[in-house]
Amino acid sequence: MSNIEQTLSIIKPDAVERNLDQQIKTIFKNKGFKILKEKKLRLEKSEAEQFYKVHETKPFYNDLCEYLSSGTIVVMVLEKENAIKSNRNLMGATDPSKAEEGTIRRQFGKSIDKNSVHGSDSLENAKIEIDFFFKTS
Ligand code: UDP
Ligand code: MG
């Protein structure tokens, strides 16, 4: 049974500032992801707070929102068979020093906060996150 899904990917400020966005997009394409939609933007802090609302109670929430709104990001809708899990596997663990060889965070991440990429963690959150950036009405 095929299970084509869409997921939201963000190339975070630490990676965009090192001009890694084309290289990271090529990794996604080579792994069979289609980039259905894409835009480059910078969030206001209030928008980052809304995006990361699930982490509101975490001690790192304020720094996380400061960071996500600190520079340009690239947001993409990726499509593939089992896209959500497949993207999470390709990204690697949240802490780049614990991420497996061959993952994007292992290759490019600088630290647990500057870990280069975001990816939706569930079908439900993927829909919410895609709407957050791409809903037109
Ligand atoms: N984060 C952080 N410190 C922590 C845990 C997470 O700065 O101790 C940041 C990190 O950038 C991470 C984001 O918060 O990507 C969201 O955390 P989550 O646990 O959802 O990790 P992810 O889903 O991104 O792997
Ligand atoms: Mg997460």
Side-chain angles (χ1 to χ4, degrees), residues 4 15 18-19 22-24 31 34 48-50 53 56-57 66 88 97 101 104 127 133 136:
I4 300 290
R18 285 176 286 155
N19 293 309
Q22 288 304 331
Q23 210 177 325
I24 291 173
K31 289 283 180 183
K34 279 188 204 162
E49 286 167 352
Q50 198 188 331
K53 199 154 177 58
E56 204 171 17
T57 59
E66 282 282 358
R88 297 287 306 187
S97 71
E101 202 65 60
I104 293 173
K127 292 200 170 93
F133 284 106
T136 46

Side-chain angles (χ1 to χ4, degrees), residues 12 52 55 60 64 88 91 93-94 105 112-115 117-119:
K12 293 184 177 182
Y52 271 133
H55 293 305
F60 57 82
L64 174 60
R88 297 287 306 187
M91 287 163 56
T94 308
R105 283 169 164 173
I112 190 161
D113 49 328
K114 296 185 171 72
N115 58 9
V117 282
H118 165 86

